[in-house]
């Protein structure tokens, strides 16, 4: 049985950590570990937070994903990688991506990114502009198919003069 004071301290620290934004179970585990809590205290704290619904990986994945898609316009590959790094389980990631990209099609996000980036690439030769745009979209987490379609669409719209 963990020490009551240690458990109380861990719960307080965890709640304070959750005050800024939702966290994944892995993030919380690492945070409490850095605070030098014993594995038993960490386990009990995680149990408490889960029971109170303060810690909820599906909700975390949806909130994190929505923020990254709507504000940063990231593609599926990048978002999948980020959620995976945060310790979210694969089935949860798959379900989250399905919901998010159903309401925010990747093609639309990629085109919006491309149009914004093209404004900064106006003085370059067409080949260089295309290469830089493709690299940019790849870093944003879009698949090769989406990138190719986006490059064709932006070229048709006058992206390449």
């Amino acid at each position: 049985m963990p020490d009551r004071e240690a458990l109380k301290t861990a719960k307080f620290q965890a709640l304070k950590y959750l005050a800024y934004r939702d966290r994944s179970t892995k993030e919380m585990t690492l945070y409490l570990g850095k605070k030098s809590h014993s594995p038993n205290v960490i386990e009990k704290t995680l149990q408490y937070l889960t029971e109170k619904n303060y810690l909820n990986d599906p909700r975390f994945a949806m909130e994190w994903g929505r923020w990254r898609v709507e504000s940063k316009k990231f593609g599926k590959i990048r978002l999948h990688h980020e959620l995976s790094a945060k310790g979210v389980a694969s089935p949860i990631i798959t379900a989250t991506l399905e919901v998010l990209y159903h309401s925010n099609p990747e093609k639309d996000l990629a085109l919006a990114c491309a149009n914004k980036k093209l404004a900064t690439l106006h003085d370059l030769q067409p080949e260089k502009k295309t290469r830089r745009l493709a690299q940019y979209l790849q870093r944003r987490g879009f698949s090769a198919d989406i990138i190719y379609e986006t490059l064709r669409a932006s070229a048709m719209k006058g992206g390449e003069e």
Side-chain angles (χ1 to χ4, degrees):
M1 185 73 194
D3 173 28
R4 277 183 193 258
E5 278 305 308
L7 193 55
K8 186 177 174 183
T9 303
K11 284 180 184 178
F12 176 78
Q13 289 172 335
L15 291 171
K16 192 173 172 185
Y17 191 51
L18 285 167
Y20 299 103
R21 69 167 172 85
D22 238 354
R23 307 287 176 170
S24 69
T25 304
K26 179 182 176 184
E27 283 180 304
M28 186 58 73
T29 304
L30 292 173
Y31 176 77
L32 292 173
K34 285 180 189 172
K35 295 290 184 182
S36 302
H37 292 290
S38 71
N40 198 12
V41 169
I42 293 172
E43 185 183 329
K44 292 285 184 192
T45 304
L46 292 176
Q47 207 170 35
Y48 167 80
L49 295 170
T50 304
E51 284 170 12
K52 295 287 185 187
N53 201 26
Y54 295 142
L55 208 55
N56 180 326
D57 279 356
R59 183 184 65 216
F60 164 77
M62 191 58 72
E63 285 182 16
W64 179 265
R66 186 173 290 120
W67 174 62
R68 300 303 266 178
V69 167
E70 290 174 1
S71 68
K72 302 287 187 181
K73 307 225 181 306
F74 284 163
K76 278 185 183 179
I77 296 168
R78 173 104 180 238
L79 188 55
H80 187 284
H81 178 71
E82 284 187 1
L83 289 172
S84 189
K86 293 197 173 291
V88 178
S90 235
I92 295 171
I93 293 174
T94 303
T96 301
L97 294 178
E98 202 172 292
V99 169
L100 288 173
Y101 290 103
H102 179 72
S103 56
N104 299 296
E106 253 190 311
K107 291 177 186 178
D108 297 348
L109 294 171
L111 198 54
C113 283
N115 290 335
K116 188 174 179 182
K117 185 67 175 174
L118 279 171
T120 68
L121 302 175
H122 51 80
D123 291 339
L124 298 174
Q125 296 171 358
E127 303 84 37
K128 197 170 194 175
K129 188 186 291 189
T130 301
R131 188 174 61 249
R132 286 206 183 158
L133 189 55
Q135 291 168 345
Y136 174 75
L137 291 172
Q138 188 177 15
R139 285 191 305 273
R140 303 295 280 190
F142 295 103
S143 68
D145 293 345
I146 300 280
I147 293 171
Y148 180 71
E149 282 182 46
T150 304
L151 292 174
R152 280 192 26 222
S154 62
M156 283 183 217
K157 285 176 120 178
E160 289 188 10
E161 284 111 36

